[in-house]
Amino acid sequence: MHKSVKEGKTVSPETISLSVKGPGIQRMVLVDLPGVISTVTTGMAADTKEAIFSMSKAYMQNPNAIILCIQDGSVDAERSIVTDLVSQMDPQGKRTIFVLTKVDLAEKNLASPGRIQQIVEGKLFPMKALGYFAVVTGKGSSNESIDSIKDYEEDFFQNSKLLKNGMLKAHQVTTKNLSLAVSDCFWKMVRESVEQQADAFKASRFNLETEWKNNYPACASWTGMSCSRRPRTRSWTREAILQKKLWERVSTHVIENIYLPAAQTMNSGTFNTTVDIKLKQWTDKQLPHKALEVAWETLQEEFARFMAEYKGKDQDDIFDKLKEAVKDESIKRHKWNERAMDSLRVIQHNALEDRSITDKPQWDAAIQFMEETLQTRLKDTDSVIGDMVGPDWRQRWMNWTNRTPEQHVRNETKNELERLLKLHEDHTAYLANDEVTTVRKNLEARGVEVDPVLIKDTWHQLYRRHFLQKALFHCNLCRRGFYYYQRHFVDSELECNDVVLFWRIQRMLGITANTLRQQLTNTEVRRLEKNVKEVLEDFGEDTEKKVHLITGRRVQLAEDLKKVREIQEKLEAFIEALHKEK
């Protein structure tokens, strides 16, 4: 006890616990607090009085605590301040028992025995209590035995003058009887409190079960996730998606690095040679990588869409975080089959080497593909030129906008270069230095100062538009060129090598998309499904992950129901045991 009190202190809030077990011993917790004092004496810490008050209040404030208020009968009652503290903590006296000690000494020293009667009848102090008791505990000698204390106690109450005068008739008790009185009071409070708590938990359980039935009628039980649905299986990948995505990824390279450089050679033989060389270089280095990138991205998108289809209007969001985490972790673990790239490269090589268009529908499909591609590029080029030269007269008139100085210079340069193209419709893509000088001098003559770099930059876009317009016109002519192509007739107007190129590209896209679909369906999807199972198993063994990822009102409601049900069952069992003990 002394070690628990810090240096410079008189009392300590530290609890020293002692458990006493045995037959016939009442089941309760008895807390012996330091006596409440009114004055700090020499040798005590300055805060002793406040520390005792604070400690006592902390225990007395517990609504389930019984306050055993001890008053020393050998001193004047007015000296005591403990009754004031008890009155503050339990104003109605519903859980207070008052005990007057040393009644034998009070009888010898007290001039007015009637004061003892007032005390034990609850009339002297303003505090209220459930009962008032008077006790004696031996003669105060440390050598006394338990038996001698009991004998003295019995002898006092039999021979007491107060007893003979009838003053303590209703209040005399032995120590044993006081203990029983405290026990009865305690268990009465416990029964009432537990029964109230049981009713409250019963009502809570009813409300929670009602909420479950109303919000989750499809769930058979709140103890499991029986209402979760398995997703319906479907084909994840479609060739059309793969083909479209792959063309979007490689179209710029095909047009800018293969078709335009070859078409601008103005020679049929050179065109085919240039195309073959560039196609082979492209297939060896870039095309298989691009194709697998597209397949991998498509697989991720389809997987994400597939996971999203779990959620319907009749489902809550408890698995949302889990699904997202499983999706991300499964994709992170997935590695594409390394042998797929080599086999894909061989297939693409073979597809691009074939030049034999066997029927008219294939020819028409290639022309349509070429026409759509060129129109898209022409539209983009017109947009770039429009930004360079600014709004035309109609836009300026309707929208009240003007060209910037730079746009004005660009527009004048464009007009001059367009005159050059009209004079030389078969002009090459390269603008010679003397032509640049001529254009610059013509502009200067009109008061427009222009840089040669700007002239070449403008020429690049104008020639590109001019070339694409001519290519589209030639594409339209080639609609009737399949007969000449099939019989190998030579007609400079209907030499449709560019149509054959687009057919080769289109055929390669179709074969590649079909190959990727097979790889996805036969290999990658299964490997991804295996990853999903492994991730779910790993997450299932990680309790912290499950708590973090499986969230939502249904989970919380199930947890609340489980706790309330367990508590209610224990309270009912406890109440039954209390009634049996009574």
Side-chain angles (χ1 to χ4, degrees):
M1 288 174 63
H2 288 299
K3 288 181 179 180
S4 68
V5 181
K6 295 181 180 179
E7 186 177 353
K9 299 291 182 180
T10 306
V11 295
S12 170
E14 184 178 340
T15 302
I16 299 175
S17 299
L18 177 65
S19 298
V20 180
K21 299 180 180 180
I25 296 177
Q26 298 298 322
R27 294 184 296 177
M28 65 176 69
V29 177
L30 179 64
V31 181
D32 185 18
L33 296 169
V36 178
I37 61 174
S38 58
T39 305
V40 177
T41 60
T42 304
M44 289 185 178
D47 64 344
T48 301
K49 178 180 176 181
E50 290 76 14
I52 294 175
F53 264 87
S54 176
M55 201 185 312
S56 300
K57 284 183 178 181
Y59 283 95
M60 290 181 182
Q61 284 173 348
N62 186 348
N64 294 324
I66 298 172
I67 302 172
L68 198 61
C69 181
I70 309 298
Q71 173 67 46
D72 189 347
S74 65
V75 298
D76 294 337
E78 288 79 7
R79 297 182 186 179
S80 174
I81 60 173
V82 67
T83 54
D84 294 335
L85 177 60
V86 173
S87 296
Q88 294 176 17
M89 297 295 104
D90 184 25
Q92 303 300 320
K94 292 183 178 180
R95 52 189 182 89
T96 300
I97 295 177
F98 181 85
V99 179
L100 184 66
T101 64
K102 302 180 183 179
V103 182
D104 53 343
L105 297 179
E107 186 181 51
K108 293 178 182 179
N109 303 330
L110 201 60
S112 176
R115 288 175 62 83
I116 296 178
Q117 184 181 12
Q118 287 181 300
I119 293 174
V120 294
E121 287 180 350
K123 296 178 180 180
L124 185 63
F125 299 115
M127 64 167 285
K128 298 179 181 180
L130 292 171
Y132 300 82
F133 301 92
V135 298
V136 294
T137 53
K139 298 178 181 180
S141 173
S142 59
N143 297 324
E144 287 183 288
S145 64
I146 297 295
D147 292 334
S148 64
I149 291 173
K150 289 182 178 180
D151 292 340
Y152 178 79
E153 186 178 41
E154 292 291 337
D155 180 65
F156 171 77
F157 281 109
Q158 288 178 4
N159 302 310
S160 170
K161 295 177 181 178
L162 296 175
L163 180 61
K164 289 178 180 179
N165 294 334
M167 293 180 182
L168 297 179
K169 185 175 181 181
H171 308 286
Q172 60 169 330
V173 293
T174 62
T175 306
K176 180 179 179 180
N177 290 337
L178 175 60
S179 176
L180 292 173
V182 174
S183 179
D184 289 341
C185 176
F186 173 74
W187 287 115
K188 180 182 178 182
M189 292 176 58
V190 168
R191 278 193 294 272
E192 292 176 354
S193 176
V194 171
E195 287 172 353
Q196 291 175 0
Q197 292 295 324
D199 290 340
F201 276 102
K202 187 176 181 180
S204 297
R205 179 179 175 180
F206 175 79
N207 293 335
L208 292 173
E209 288 177 345
T210 302
E211 181 183 350
W212 182 275
K213 291 176 183 177
N214 291 339
N215 294 335
Y216 312 109
C219 303
S221 170
W222 57 266
T223 57
M225 299 304 171
S226 56
C227 61
S228 60
R229 300 180 304 176
R230 293 182 62 85
R232 66 182 186 277
T233 56
R234 66 176 178 85
S235 177
W236 281 13
T237 54
R238 296 185 294 273
E239 288 184 29
I241 296 176
L242 292 168
Q243 188 168 340
K244 180 181 178 182
K245 285 182 174 291
L246 180 58
W247 177 238
E248 290 174 354
R249 186 66 56 87
V250 303
S251 59
T252 300
H253 180 86
V254 170
I255 300 300
E256 303 296 333
N257 298 85
I258 298 176
Y259 171 64
L260 290 179
Q264 291 169 4
T265 58
M266 302 298 180
N267 182 278
S268 175
T270 307
F271 176 90
N272 290 330
T273 303
T274 304
V275 164
D276 290 341
I277 293 173
K278 289 185 176 293
L279 285 177
K280 187 175 186 309
Q281 292 174 345
W282 182 45
T283 310
D284 288 338
K285 298 179 180 180
Q286 297 181 21
L287 183 56
H289 293 278
K290 296 292 183 182
L292 290 184
E293 286 178 6
V294 168
W296 178 222
E297 291 175 7
T298 304
L299 177 60
Q300 294 182 59
E301 292 173 3
E302 291 292 312
F303 182 40
R305 190 179 298 110
F306 179 73
M307 295 291 286
E309 287 185 359
Y310 271 127
K311 189 168 184 179
K313 294 181 180 180
D314 58 338
Q315 288 188 331
D316 52 52
D317 57 354
I318 65 171
F319 294 122
D320 284 358
K321 284 187 178 180
L322 177 62
K323 289 189 295 183
E324 193 66 25
V326 170
K327 181 194 72 175
D328 294 342
E329 183 64 23
S330 301
I331 289 175
K332 182 179 178 182
R333 295 186 185 184
H334 187 80
K335 302 295 181 185
W336 205 274
N337 190 349
E338 296 179 355
R339 292 177 297 178
M341 186 172 297
D342 294 332
S343 61
L344 188 61
R345 182 180 288 107
V346 173
I347 292 171
Q348 290 171 336
H349 263 304
N350 294 335
L352 289 172
E353 285 179 355
D354 188 6
R355 294 194 185 91
S356 56
I357 305 176
T358 57
D359 54 37
K360 187 68 163 56
Q362 291 184 14
W363 181 268
D364 292 339
I367 290 178
Q368 182 180 356
F369 177 52
M370 176 180 173
E371 194 172 43
E372 290 174 354
T373 302
L374 294 179
Q375 285 175 347
T376 301
R377 295 292 161 175
L378 180 59
K379 183 178 179 181
D380 294 340
T381 304
D382 285 335
S383 177
V384 172
I385 295 174
D387 292 338
M388 289 171 58
V389 302
D392 57 17
W393 68 269
R394 186 185 298 275
Q395 292 172 328
R396 294 198 304 274
W397 176 261
M398 298 296 294
N399 301 327
W400 288 76
T401 57
N402 289 318
R403 292 190 177 107
T404 64
E406 182 180 353
Q407 288 175 337
H408 174 71
V409 172
R410 287 275 190 182
N411 185 61
E412 293 295 328
T413 306
K414 177 185 78 75
N415 294 336
E416 187 66 27
L417 292 172
E418 284 179 341
R419 281 193 285 270
L420 178 62
L421 276 173
K422 286 181 180 179
L423 294 173
H424 306 283
E425 289 189 0
D426 294 331
H427 201 292
T428 62
Y430 179 71
L431 190 64
N433 290 333
D434 58 339
E435 292 176 317
V436 173
T437 302
T438 301
V439 170
R440 184 169 60 83
K441 288 183 176 180
N442 291 340
L443 291 172
E444 288 177 351
R446 297 202 299 269
V448 179
E449 295 290 337
V450 62
D451 185 84
V453 176
L454 186 143
I455 295 174
K456 291 181 179 181
D457 184 43
T458 307
W459 167 260
H460 174 73
Q461 297 299 330
L462 289 176
Y463 182 81
R464 180 187 180 88
R465 181 174 67 180
H466 173 72
F467 176 82
L468 291 173
Q469 290 171 342
K470 286 179 61 179
L472 278 169
F473 178 75
H474 181 67
C475 179
N476 190 45
L477 289 178
C478 286
R479 292 184 185 280
R480 55 188 177 85
F482 180 69
Y483 175 81
Y484 293 88
Y485 163 80
Q486 197 175 36
R487 288 160 178 75
H488 305 288
F489 288 170
V490 178
D491 186 334
S492 58
E493 186 180 74
L494 293 178
E495 282 186 356
C496 300
N497 295 307
D498 45 1
V499 175
V500 177
L501 169 62
F502 277 90
W503 177 82
R504 294 165 71 181
I505 297 294
Q506 188 179 42
R507 184 167 180 271
M508 180 275 297
L509 292 173
I511 292 175
T512 301
N514 179 266
T515 304
L516 292 176
R517 181 190 60 78
Q518 291 179 7
Q519 289 180 357
L520 286 168
T521 304
N522 299 334
T523 306
E524 302 306 328
V525 170
R526 294 180 182 178
R527 293 176 64 232
L528 185 58
E529 288 176 350
K530 183 180 178 182
N531 288 340
V532 172
K533 293 179 181 178
E534 291 175 353
V535 170
L536 283 172
E537 290 175 358
D538 293 344
F539 284 4
E541 296 174 358
D542 193 332
T543 305
E544 292 185 3
K545 265 195 184 311
K546 286 190 289 185
V547 172
H548 175 69
L549 295 176
I550 303 179
T551 59
R553 177 55 188 161
R554 180 150 60 97
V555 175
Q556 186 61 47
L557 186 58
E559 290 293 327
D560 292 344
L561 270 169
K562 182 179 178 182
K563 291 178 183 177
V564 168
R565 183 180 182 184
E566 289 176 355
I567 293 172
Q568 184 192 1
E569 290 174 352
K570 290 179 180 178
L571 286 174
E572 290 175 350
F574 188 35
I575 291 171
E576 185 179 352
L578 287 177
H579 285 297
K580 287 181 180 179
E581 183 165 322
K582 179 179 179 182

